Amino acid sequence: MPLMHRRTALAAAAGLALAAHLPAHAARVGQPAPDFALPDTAGKTVRLADFRGRYVVLEWTNPGCPFVRKHYESGHMGATQKLARDQGVVWLAINSTETASSDYLEPARLADWLKQHQGTPSAVLMDPEGTTGRAYDAKTTPH
């Protein structure tokens, strides 16, 4: 088999192997993003569909994660969020931590933590059942 065909076959096989590990409903590059509706930390429902036609960053966050803390405490995450928002990007921080976890923060406490660490997402969304996290195959934070 010529080298180019082998590379193409290997790339296709790798893609199929990756796809086999994703949930059937998971987000896929080149396909419409799975829609969701989640409450923000104030209880208002935010829908991804409301931002159709705009660039949207989905950030999975958990202040109990040492990597999340590092990026927020350094100020880098807030600065990146501000830069993106200043350019018209919608930044949705999503917390998929289950309520039984020791890392879980009630919505008001999560909003306060982000504010104290200069977080400037467009909205902070609560996903304690992990439904949206699974739809996007988000398994770690930050993601």
Side-chain angles (χ1 to χ4, degrees):
M1 180 183 301
L3 181 59
M4 185 56 85
H5 291 297
R6 274 188 251 154
R7 285 185 184 159
T8 302
L10 286 173
L16 288 173
L18 175 63
H21 295 309
L22 294 176
H25 59 282
R28 289 192 174 24
V29 174
Q31 299 298 313
D35 195 18
F36 59 82
L38 293 171
D40 67 10
T41 53
K44 177 186 171 206
T45 299
V46 175
R47 291 175 177 76
L48 181 62
D50 293 342
F51 306 107
R52 183 176 305 277
R54 296 181 64 190
Y55 288 104
V56 178
V57 171
L58 303 178
E59 170 208 353
W60 267 267
T61 190
N62 171 6
C65 169
F67 296 105
V68 169
R69 283 195 313 268
K70 173 186 171 188
H71 292 295
Y72 273 93
E73 289 171 358
S74 70
H76 293 143
M77 187 62 80
T80 302
Q81 292 167 338
K82 182 181 181 323
L83 178 67
R85 290 188 64 207
D86 287 350
Q87 295 178 24
V89 173
V90 175
W91 191 295
L92 303 176
I94 302 173
N95 188 322
S96 292
T97 307
E98 62 185 349
T99 56
S101 171
S102 62
D103 285 347
Y104 179 79
L105 292 180
E106 295 290 332
R109 288 186 58 212
L110 177 60
D112 287 343
W113 187 91
L114 287 167
K115 186 176 180 181
Q116 290 171 5
H117 292 88
Q118 290 77 45
T120 61
S122 305
V124 182
L125 308 179
M126 304 302 292
D127 179 37
E129 292 82 27
T131 307
T132 301
R134 281 189 297 281
Y136 283 85
D137 203 32
K139 294 182 175 155
T140 61
T141 55
H143 185 106

